[in-house]
Amino acid sequence: MSDELYIKRCLELAAIAIGNVSPNPMVGCVIVAKGKIIGEGYHQKFGEAHAEPNAVKAVFDQYGPEAENLLKQATAYVNLEPCAHFGKTPPCADLFVKHQLKKVVIGNRDPFSGVDGKGIEKLRNANIEVVSGILEAECRCFNRRFFTRIEKQRPYIILKWAETANGYFATNDGHQKWISGALAKRLAHKWRTEEDAILIGKKTAIVDNPHLTAREWPGKNPVRLVIDKHLQIPQDHHIFNKEAKTIILNELKTDVVDNVHYIQMEDMHFYLAQKVSFQLYLMDIQSVIIEGGAHILNQFLEANLWDEARIFTSANSWTEGIAAPTINGHLQEELNLGSDKLSIYTNDIN
């Protein structure tokens, strides 16, 4: 039971950095000696120290000369297997070997080919006891973005839209008409800080002229992705401002103009969802929110390229409009947000 409690604490620590470590996983580390936590750490930012060296540093900061002896009696808890390769930082498994820890308890084995059991092997070869698979399903769900990118070679895909009580998604005449309320908008901006990118189609960009930034929640802006096959979006639209990096997926050119990156793709009318997904994987985009329009959302649904759908349903009805996409997934959760209802679905067959 104590193993599970410490792994849960690892997840709490790791979650602090959501949105800041991609394409790395979110990892927390807790070091325990004599029944007491002596050090904690988490991976705070991509390219910086991993959770394990931060936790070891915390032990030395707190205990000074005693730290070396304490570590030799200690158990380290980590929600993902310590890395075994040189990347932007040295191998974390080597750090535990260096300090001769007594035991390491792990949530998930790391599926990345540079690790994938090699960290566990290094620890065991150094006579460090290793226990793996503690809260395995919970840890995997927590790092589902990372696991999806490694195992499926595509980003974790979140579909998001708002619909009226009677199932309309947008107006017939192309005029913008807000469906969900202020609480829903604020929550959607929070989600933007947590994911790598946000994607829309040309029509949504032209009609709604969105900023696609996290203006109503503290945190980073996502990369703005727009599908504009023939580069028809006016240059004075918000997506071309300097508030965030923008990538325009198109058939005409590859170029970089300030913070706007144009990426040319071929035959976008064939297998668009598959091509976009693989292109984002190549760019190390680990997660994306797809916000529309209906045509883009339906293409990802038809290709069964989605992992999660977050749907706001308003209490209001319209007499006519464009029908919202139809979701076929597992209803995970329902929440009331003011007069709106939020339904979260997961795709159990992708």
Side-chain angles (χ1 to χ4, degrees), residues 25 47 103 124 166 218 243 280:
K103 183 178 178 181
R124 286 181 173 153
N166 56 341
E243 292 175 3
L280 300 189

Side-chain angles (χ1 to χ4, degrees), residues 70-113:
L70 281 170
L71 286 169
K72 288 176 183 176
Q73 305 168 54
T75 297
Y77 293 85
V78 62
N79 59 291
L80 190 72
E81 177 183 0
C83 62
H85 64 298
F86 283 89
K88 290 185 178 293
T89 59
C92 295
D94 288 359
L95 182 69
F96 286 162
V97 170
K98 174 187 172 183
H99 292 293
Q100 301 172 34
L101 270 73
K102 185 178 177 183
K103 183 178 178 181
V104 177
V105 178
I106 296 166
N108 290 137
R109 182 166 162 156
D110 190 332
F112 176 62
S113 60

Side-chain angles (χ1 to χ4, degrees), residues 216-237:
E216 299 200 15
W217 196 267
K220 68 166 184 62
N221 289 322
V223 173
R224 301 179 291 199
L225 299 162
V226 185
I227 297 171
D228 184 10
K229 188 158 60 169
H230 301 303
L231 299 179
Q232 295 171 297
I233 302 167
Q235 291 289 311
D236 60 355
H237 272 40

Side-chain angles (χ1 to χ4, degrees), residues 120 130 147 182 188 210 237 244 274 285 296 330 337 349:
I120 292 171
V130 179
F147 277 88
H237 272 40
Q274 291 90 335
I285 288 177
I296 299 294
H330 174 68
L337 292 168
I349 57 171

Side-chain angles (χ1 to χ4, degrees), residues 119-166:
I120 292 171
E121 185 181 7
K122 274 191 176 188
L123 296 171
R124 286 181 173 153
N125 287 343
N127 295 317
I128 296 172
E129 182 185 353
V130 179
V131 175
S132 185
I134 303 300
L135 295 181
E136 189 168 13
E138 190 173 332
C139 291
R140 182 183 174 89
C141 179
F142 177 77
N143 266 317
R144 57 195 181 277
R145 298 160 180 83
F146 173 72
F147 277 88
T148 298
R149 184 178 71 88
I150 297 297
E151 294 175 350
K152 298 183 178 180
Q153 297 191 330
R154 65 165 178 81
Y156 186 83
I157 298 170
I158 300 165
L159 309 180
K160 177 252 168 185
W161 71 82
E163 61 184 53
T164 65
N166 56 341

Side-chain angles (χ1 to χ4, degrees), residues 151-285:
E151 294 175 350
K152 298 183 178 180
Q153 297 191 330
R154 65 165 178 81
Y156 186 83
I157 298 170
I158 300 165
L159 309 180
K160 177 252 168 185
W161 71 82
E163 61 184 53
T164 65
N166 56 341
Y168 289 122
F169 173 89
T171 61
N172 283 328
D173 60 10
H175 284 88
Q176 185 181 22
K177 190 175 181 182
W178 202 259
I179 295 175
S180 52
L183 277 175
K185 183 180 181 183
R186 193 152 188 257
L187 179 57
H189 282 222
K190 176 181 181 290
W191 291 339
R192 290 176 181 181
T193 69
E194 297 172 349
E195 311 304 337
D196 287 358
I198 182 168
L199 180 138
I200 60 170
K202 173 200 69 180
K203 188 174 179 183
T204 300
I206 291 174
V207 171
D208 294 350
N209 191 17
H211 289 262
L212 301 184
T213 56
R215 303 179 303 287
E216 299 200 15
W217 196 267
K220 68 166 184 62
N221 289 322
V223 173
R224 301 179 291 199
L225 299 162
V226 185
I227 297 171
D228 184 10
K229 188 158 60 169
H230 301 303
L231 299 179
Q232 295 171 297
I233 302 167
Q235 291 289 311
D236 60 355
H237 272 40
H238 295 313
I239 58 157
F240 293 107
N241 66 29
K242 291 184 168 55
E243 292 175 3
K245 179 179 178 179
T246 299
I247 296 173
I248 311 290
L249 302 173
N250 70 96
E251 286 189 347
L252 302 180
K253 69 176 182 178
T254 294
D255 195 10
V256 178
V257 182
D258 296 326
N259 62 313
V260 181
H261 296 236
Y262 296 88
I263 295 180
Q264 186 176 12
M265 300 174 68
E266 294 182 354
D267 299 326
M268 293 177 73
H269 50 293
F270 292 121
Y271 302 108
L272 179 66
Q274 291 90 335
K275 287 176 179 176
V276 169
S277 297
F278 189 61
Q279 180 65 50
L280 300 189
Y281 167 76
L282 293 176
M283 295 190 295
D284 271 344
I285 288 177

Side-chain angles (χ1 to χ4, degrees), residues 25-64:
M26 296 178 287
V27 182
C29 179
V30 175
I31 300 176
V32 177
K34 300 177 182 178
K36 177 184 174 184
I37 293 176
I38 60 171
E40 294 183 332
Y42 63 96
H43 183 29
Q44 298 177 20
K45 191 176 180 181
F46 176 69
E48 296 184 0
H50 288 184
E52 296 92 332
N54 284 335
V56 169
K57 181 179 182 300
V59 177
F60 278 94
D61 288 347
Q62 177 73 23
Y63 294 96

